Amino acid sequence: MTSEHKPTTLGWLGTGRMGAAMAGRLVDAGESVTVWNRTKAKTAPLVARGATAVDHIADLGACDIVFVMVSTPKDLEEVVSGPTGLLSAEGRPGTIVDCSTVSAATSAAVRTASTEAGVDFLAAPISGNPHVVAEGGACIVASGPLASFQRARPYLEQIAKVAVHAGEEEQSRLVKLCHNLYLGMMVQALVEVTSLAEKGGTDRAAFLEFLNGTVLASDWVRKRTDDLIERDWTPTFTTELLRKDFDLGLGAARSLEVPMPVGAAVYQLIQSAIGTGLRDADFLALYEQQARGASLTQDGS
């Protein structure tokens, strides 16, 4: 990275589980990072590692690049173009890099507001849970002006192992939603075949050990195997957040006239899981729905 391309300061807005893991990689890389979160106490671990916390979103306007990581489209609009958002300050960042998972329509609206305020906007959603991010294994797909991507790329590559430019507009939003749709469908397929093997008398751990040795194995399933064996649903990505992404992804499919029969079925299973008390559990808890349907007991019998 050449000195003329390195901004003096980076801002980070949103330090929940994912935001904290991502900002932490920049802090640990020695970057100057200023952070804000609605619940200020959540910035404390980053401050202890070397970040600086501010009390108001507008205080991030002094930064050259501000990264945003929030949960919903409404949150994104509020923190960027709302009455007290990034664009409300007298001083504004040169570039906003939004890493949230939101709809293309919301992204386009926020991009328009940013452009009109003289601020570049890059949509850069991330794939990976907080543990994957902390280990440097996440992937980022970005869209927006190529020049904005090139300015942000060194920092995106400090956060993730891969940073890909997918287009000049909102393409990255759909790419990320496609990823999360596939993830939900993959997990449902995994818990279905696992429960079938169990119901036939095979130990869950033995089946997963076999599966992880085949060509169908993946790093993600290997990393989550112990959680599935132990039925540990400590959230990395909640069932409720997965439902939000299915809402957005299936909405995009309707607008583009793309049939999604498997995705539509999995959406209903996600909804059922939420309705039976698994809203805040890790989405791998789709296994619980499947186990109940298969009349499997806690010990798998």
Side-chain angles (χ1 to χ4, degrees):
M1 188 188 344
T2 58
S3 59
E4 63 266 29
H5 290 139
K6 184 175 181 180
T8 55
T9 55
L10 303 176
W12 197 282
L13 194 161
T15 59
R17 285 192 298 266
M18 279 294 286
M22 296 167 72
R25 289 193 59 80
L26 294 174
V27 174
D28 292 347
E31 301 295 345
S32 174
V33 183
T34 302
V35 299
W36 178 91
N37 193 72
R38 183 177 288 112
T39 304
K40 190 174 181 179
K42 291 185 177 181
T43 66
L46 289 169
V47 171
R49 289 159 70 176
T52 301
V54 293
D55 295 324
H56 306 286
I57 292 176
D59 294 334
L60 296 176
C63 299
D64 297 289
I65 298 177
V66 174
F67 292 84
V68 178
M69 186 64 181
V70 293
S71 297
T72 69
K74 181 180 178 181
D75 291 334
L76 177 61
E77 291 175 321
E78 179 182 339
V79 301
V80 175
S81 52
T84 61
L86 281 169
L87 302 181
S88 69
E90 289 186 13
R92 295 164 182 161
T95 303
I96 295 172
V97 180
D98 177 54
C99 300
S100 315
T101 299
V102 300
S103 68
T106 297
S107 184
V110 175
R111 181 186 303 280
T112 297
S114 298
T115 301
E116 290 176 350
V119 177
D120 291 340
F121 184 83
L122 191 68
I126 187 168
S127 168
N129 63 43
H131 302 299
V132 172
V133 171
E135 293 168 0
C139 299
I140 289 174
V141 56
S143 58
L146 182 58
S148 299
F149 174 72
Q150 296 295 6
R151 282 194 296 274
R153 186 172 189 170
Y155 309 104
L156 296 174
E157 291 178 345
Q158 286 176 345
I159 296 168
K161 66 178 180 179
V162 173
V164 176
H165 186 247
E168 296 279 329
E169 298 175 339
E170 310 309 327
Q171 292 91 341
S172 64
R173 302 299 190 183
L174 184 56
V175 170
K176 175 61 192 300
L177 291 171
C178 288
H179 170 276
N180 283 13
L181 286 167
Y182 177 64
L183 183 60
M185 290 185 271
M186 180 188 74
V187 166
Q188 179 60 32
L190 174 66
V191 301
E192 286 185 21
V193 295
T194 300
S195 67
L196 176 59
E198 283 186 271
K199 193 67 181 285
T202 299
D203 179 74
R204 184 161 65 250
F207 172 73
L208 291 169
E209 181 180 359
F210 163 75
L211 191 68
N212 284 335
T214 72
V215 295
L216 300 181
S218 71
D219 288 342
W220 188 89
V221 175
R222 290 191 187 100
K223 285 179 179 293
R224 300 306 307 274
T225 290
D226 287 346
D227 295 333
L228 184 52
I229 291 171
E230 300 298 329
R231 293 169 104 161
D232 179 358
W233 314 134
T234 303
T236 61
F237 185 65
T238 66
T239 306
E240 183 174 33
L241 287 174
L242 183 64
R243 179 177 65 176
K244 181 261 293 185
D245 289 351
F246 265 66
D247 279 330
L248 295 172
L250 293 175
R254 283 191 296 274
S255 67
L256 293 170
E257 302 295 354
V258 176
M260 298 284 288
V262 177
V266 172
Y267 177 82
Q268 294 303 322
L269 293 167
I270 295 167
Q271 181 62 58
S272 180
I274 290 173
T276 55
L278 296 170
R279 177 187 302 273
D280 298 319
D282 189 89
F283 75 107
L284 193 57
L286 287 172
Y287 172 85
E288 295 294 345
Q289 287 290 105
Q290 182 66 25
R292 280 194 287 266
S295 297
L296 288 167
T297 62
Q298 182 68 30
D299 62 6
S301 62

